[in-house]
Amino acid sequence: MIELKTASEVDACEAAGKIVADVLTAVRAEVAPGVTTGELDALAADLITGAGARPSFLGYHPSWAPVPYPGVICASINDAVVHGIPGRERLRSGDVLSVDLAVHLDGWCADAAFSTLVGGTGDPRDAAMIETAERALAAGVAAAVAGARLGDIAHAIGTVARAGGYGLLDDHGGHGVGRFMHESPSVANEGRPGRGLPLRPGLVIALEPMLQAGGADTYRHDRDGWTIRTSDGSRAAHAEHTIAITEGGPRVLTAGRPTS
Ligand code: MF3
Ligand code: CO
């Protein structure tokens, strides 16, 4: 079932989204060579608690996962695409780091992610991939207008990603957001324009292109049961916003999140 949100419910998701954006911005400021992903996780945990919110990932246990998710953020490095578990791993200059975060505030959720080059420099191909993930996300947001369809968003995202030669991720994409972090509908990162669910005001969805440098769409799960890695070892980038469809056009509920 797809639950359209009232104006005040969209506002509530946006209040959660403001915390997500602020915490990601603070995490971004601490990203540097030598820092561990566990330290970034601890920082996020403190800030979320201080803001009166709850980290949505911590303890999340979908049926396919062997254990509940143990982190507050996902921190995915290099060939890790998404769902990297924070821990003792130290960031190195030139790593591609993706940080994903969702929080619940007063019962309502928002979800966002960014990717960046650790130390601010690295392989220009990695910088181009991060920039393309952002452009794919922006294209998806621009297509999220009332009267269009879910396939228009998927098509917009996929077209930008494929034009750069990037792989996507089989069976992974965005999702409805609201009372729960994952709600209907699923939002594919590739699709046919003019097809699928009509976009109506009050629909709140997370758009999240996940790009693979190697061009393949296949992936593998790490032994930790969570981390999703490219099957060819190539690097990956992830960008995500939670948005609402409104009469006045797409409204980004996690505005202010870092973009690189
Ligand atoms: N933003 C991620 C997604 O929508 C959430 C990660 S799942 C978790 O897939 F377990 F880490 F919470
Ligand atoms: Co998401």
Side-chain angles (χ1 to χ4, degrees), residues 57 83 100 102 111-112 173-175 177 181-182 206-208 238 240 242:
F57 296 175
H83 301 176
D100 193 342
D111 186 5
H175 48 90
V177 185
M181 173 169 68
H182 289 150
L207 309 186
E208 46 179 323
H238 179 210
E240 179 175 16
T242 297

Side-chain angles (χ1 to χ4, degrees), residues 184-196:
S184 289
S186 292
V187 184
N189 283 331
E190 192 161 41
R192 291 162 70 183
R195 300 299 182 98

Side-chain angles (χ1 to χ4, degrees), residues 23-98:
V23 173
L24 287 178
T25 299
V27 167
R28 171 72 189 84
E30 292 306 307
V31 170
V35 171
T36 69
T37 54
E39 288 163 352
L40 299 178
D41 198 66
L43 169 65
D46 280 352
L47 294 173
I48 292 164
T49 306
R54 167 173 79 79
S56 310
F57 296 175
L58 186 65
Y60 181 62
H61 197 181
S63 53
W64 49 263
V67 293
Y69 189 73
V72 166
I73 61 171
C74 295
S76 307
I77 301 173
N78 295 337
D79 66 322
V81 189
V82 286
H83 301 176
I85 297 175
R88 283 198 285 267
E89 192 169 2
R90 279 185 201 286
L91 300 173
R92 288 164 307 185
S93 183
D95 279 348
V96 175
L97 171 69
S98 303

Side-chain angles (χ1 to χ4, degrees), residues 5 31 49 55 67 73 87 108 134 138 142 162 180 197 230-231 254:
K5 276 73 183 176
V31 170
T49 306
V67 293
I73 61 171
W108 295 90
E134 286 294 330
R162 294 299 186 194
F180 303 97
L197 179 81
T230 61
S231 48
T254 45

Side-chain angles (χ1 to χ4, degrees), residues 14 30 46 52 75 95 122 141 153 219 247:
E14 188 172 49
E30 292 306 307
D46 280 352
D95 279 348
V141 172
I153 296 176
Y219 64 89
E247 296 287 2

